[in-house]
Amino acid sequence: MKRIAQILITIVAFLASAIAFDFIAALLVGDNIAGAFLSAFPGQAQLTYLDRYIGFMSSDTLGWFTYITLGVTQDLEIIAGGVTVIGPLLMYTPAISLPGATPQGLIPIMMEYHPWSSTPVYFMPALAWLLKLIGPFIVTGIVGGAVAKAKKDAMGNTFLAFLVIAIAGIVLNIVHVYMNWISVAWKFSATLTQNPAYVYFWGIYGILTPDMLGYIIGTSIVALVFAVINGLIISIISVIVARKK
């Protein structure tokens, strides 16, 4: 029973921190138009990230919570840079639409468009996205290690927490897709900022496709694979924290 409680605490830590870092990102981006790609929430056309986020949360609560839970599947490769594996499957091209933009990670973008550069407007959105990406992971790893009594438990608890959240996200995504398939507005533009691999399946099962089952299977596979990868990576943080006890 104690282990179940530890896993639940770790799950809550991720969900709470994911929401918290969304609001932190909103404060950093403000009305910076270069940060519009961060707030590509379906059906929201307000100026600021915060307004779009709250609008998404209130108008499509199921979609918003699916977006939060699928956060455990975010692709950490976005941090370092772009790679191409199996065509566009793992290629990330910055959505900040620079002339001749090439695949880059958040760190390279921040280095190139730093506050003292000729185009500093892109720095803050990249920083906000970086915090959104790694903040919840780090918090979850620390909490997972802190509540565990041994490093073995810390690794197992954190990994299981990621799997549970991912499975919940997959289930919610299936429900959301089933309820809204015929509507263009449901499409998860919000999740595309989390994992470039979703773009691959987006292209195959595009807005006008009738193949709902194929879309569900594809996105579910992506979510599960990256949840496993992220869970294993962040478990290392939990082990380090647990060893200090």
Side-chain angles (χ1 to χ4, degrees):
M1 186 63 181
K2 289 183 178 180
R3 187 172 187 187
I4 295 177
Q6 293 170 1
I7 294 173
L8 288 175
I9 291 173
T10 308
I11 291 173
V12 171
F14 176 83
L15 298 177
S17 59
I19 296 171
F21 276 100
D22 269 331
F23 281 96
I24 292 174
L27 293 176
L28 290 175
V29 173
D31 59 358
N32 186 336
I33 58 173
F37 69 95
L38 273 174
S39 54
F41 299 126
Q44 304 303 311
Q46 300 91 332
L47 178 61
T48 68
Y49 179 99
L50 182 61
D51 288 338
R52 293 186 183 191
Y53 183 80
I54 294 177
F56 179 44
M57 181 171 56
S58 60
S59 65
D60 185 6
T61 305
L62 175 61
W64 168 78
F65 200 71
T66 306
Y67 154 79
I68 293 296
T69 52
L70 286 179
V72 296
T73 72
Q74 292 189 97
D75 183 5
L76 293 175
E77 183 269 336
I78 293 174
I79 295 175
V83 296
T84 301
V85 180
I86 315 177
L89 182 57
L90 293 181
M91 184 174 69
Y92 161 65
T93 300
I96 51 180
S97 299
L98 298 172
T102 56
Q104 299 180 71
L106 298 178
I107 298 298
I109 290 175
M110 292 172 64
M111 292 175 63
E112 184 172 357
Y113 304 102
H114 56 81
W116 299 275
S117 68
S118 59
T119 318
V121 68
Y122 300 111
F123 176 83
M124 201 57 75
L127 175 61
W129 193 354
L130 181 64
L131 292 177
K132 276 166 53 68
L133 179 64
I134 66 174
F137 286 175
I138 294 176
V139 170
T140 304
I142 293 174
V143 172
V147 299
K149 292 185 177 181
K151 56 183 179 180
K152 181 179 179 181
D153 292 338
M155 175 170 281
N157 292 350
T158 303
F159 181 72
L160 285 174
F162 270 68
L163 282 185
V164 170
I165 298 171
I167 291 173
I170 290 171
V171 172
L172 290 174
N173 188 49
I174 292 173
V175 174
H176 197 243
V177 169
Y178 180 77
M179 291 175 61
N180 301 279
W181 182 252
I182 61 174
S183 171
V184 174
W186 79 268
K187 289 295 187 178
F188 258 54
S189 54
T191 62
L192 300 184
T193 66
Q194 298 177 324
N195 195 324
Y198 284 121
V199 180
Y200 178 74
F201 293 102
W202 179 280
I204 294 178
Y205 307 105
I207 291 177
L208 300 179
T209 179
D211 191 357
M212 179 172 65
L213 181 60
Y215 182 86
I216 288 175
I217 292 174
T219 52
S220 296
I221 291 174
V222 171
L224 193 59
V225 168
F226 280 91
V228 170
I229 294 173
N230 294 339
L232 290 173
I233 293 174
I234 306 306
S235 292
I236 298 174
I237 297 178
S238 296
V239 172
I240 294 173
V241 173
R243 289 183 64 182
K244 293 181 179 179
K245 298 182 65 176

